Amino acid sequence: LKNVVKADYAVGGRRVTVFACEFPTGEAARAALAKLRGRLGGGEGAEALSLGQEGFVAARPYSGKVAIFRIGRHLGGMLRYGKEPAALSLLENLAQRLRGAQGS
């Protein structure tokens, strides 16, 4: 991914990384998400993520779960995702900010 901004947080006794990236168009973001879904194994075995558009959670053998979603021309997500309220709160905050960034 290019044009990525990331931040690390402590959640549930582990370090998680929250990230966002911007694409020129919504279609480019959709294509990148589809490519990531294929690479991360986010197909039929993936959990749905109710944030943004086309969100999913995929388990990775060494890095834990990855949550990722699209809002317009942006992708957002979290590495080492867990279902703690704090993790979901971070992602909801990110989704809200990305919705606001759609006008810029």
Side-chain angles (χ1 to χ4, degrees):
L1 297 175
K2 297 179 181 179
N3 298 321
V4 177
V5 176
K6 68 180 185 85
D8 294 329
Y9 295 90
V11 174
R14 69 184 184 291
R15 184 183 64 122
V16 302
T17 301
V18 175
F19 64 91
C21 55
E22 181 178 37
F23 291 85
T25 65
E27 189 53 45
R30 180 179 286 119
L33 184 62
K35 193 173 192 178
L36 281 170
R37 184 183 291 270
R39 286 188 179 174
L40 295 173
E44 292 180 24
E47 301 172 43
L49 183 65
S50 61
L51 292 171
Q53 303 153 320
E54 308 162 278
F56 66 93
V57 177
R60 301 297 298 154
Y62 299 106
S63 58
K65 291 186 176 184
V66 177
I68 189 164
F69 59 91
R70 181 179 71 83
I71 293 182
R73 60 189 181 106
H74 295 90
L75 296 185
M78 179 182 287
L79 306 177
R80 293 172 295 284
Y81 172 74
K83 290 190 176 183
E84 302 92 351
L88 186 55
S89 179
L90 284 169
L91 286 178
E92 287 171 342
N93 185 282
L94 175 62
Q96 183 179 24
R97 291 177 183 276
L98 292 178
R99 278 187 207 95
Q102 292 305 301
S104 60

